[in-house]
Amino acid sequence: MIPLGPQPPGHAQPDDERDDDLLTRAEASDYLARFHIRMKPATLARVWSVGGDGPPCRHIRGKPWYPRGALRTWAQSQQTNLRRSRREGSV
């Protein structure tokens, strides 16, 4: 993880976790597991290379880095609201 710049105000995170930290694919994979999204580093690489709907990343000198805040935003966007089965109301 590479820390960059100050953390934006109003974010309740541990002192060692900042939105602008850059995570490796392995670290990004571990971080996404907190949101119940299981993606191996190889899956992150494949999703990026084929242009899938994966988390945003940036490349620095050819190496991929995932900003922690962007990972969190992406992970939260993958979750849906609670919903019922269509079958429950049609019986």
Side-chain angles (χ1 to χ4, degrees), residues 22-43:
L22 296 177
L23 308 180
T24 64
R25 280 200 174 120
E27 291 168 334
S29 176
D30 291 341
Y31 186 72
L32 289 172
R34 295 183 188 182
F35 299 92
H36 307 287
I37 297 174
R38 308 277 189 255
M39 293 183 85
K40 293 179 181 179
T43 304

Side-chain angles (χ1 to χ4, degrees), residues 3-79:
L4 297 175
Q7 178 182 3
H11 286 276
Q13 297 178 25
D15 289 340
D16 61 339
E17 289 189 1
R18 299 165 19 150
D19 280 350
D20 54 358
D21 288 342
L22 296 177
L23 308 180
T24 64
R25 280 200 174 120
E27 291 168 334
S29 176
D30 291 341
Y31 186 72
L32 289 172
R34 295 183 188 182
F35 299 92
H36 307 287
I37 297 174
R38 308 277 189 255
M39 293 183 85
K40 293 179 181 179
T43 304
L44 289 171
R46 185 175 57 253
V47 169
W48 185 86
S49 68
V50 299
D53 186 29
C57 78
R58 66 175 51 140
H59 283 72
I60 301 172
R61 295 185 56 98
K63 183 169 177 160
W65 295 96
Y66 295 81
R68 186 186 308 274
L71 276 174
R72 183 184 325 97
T73 300
W74 180 84
Q76 291 169 339
S77 75
Q78 302 303 299
Q79 299 174 1

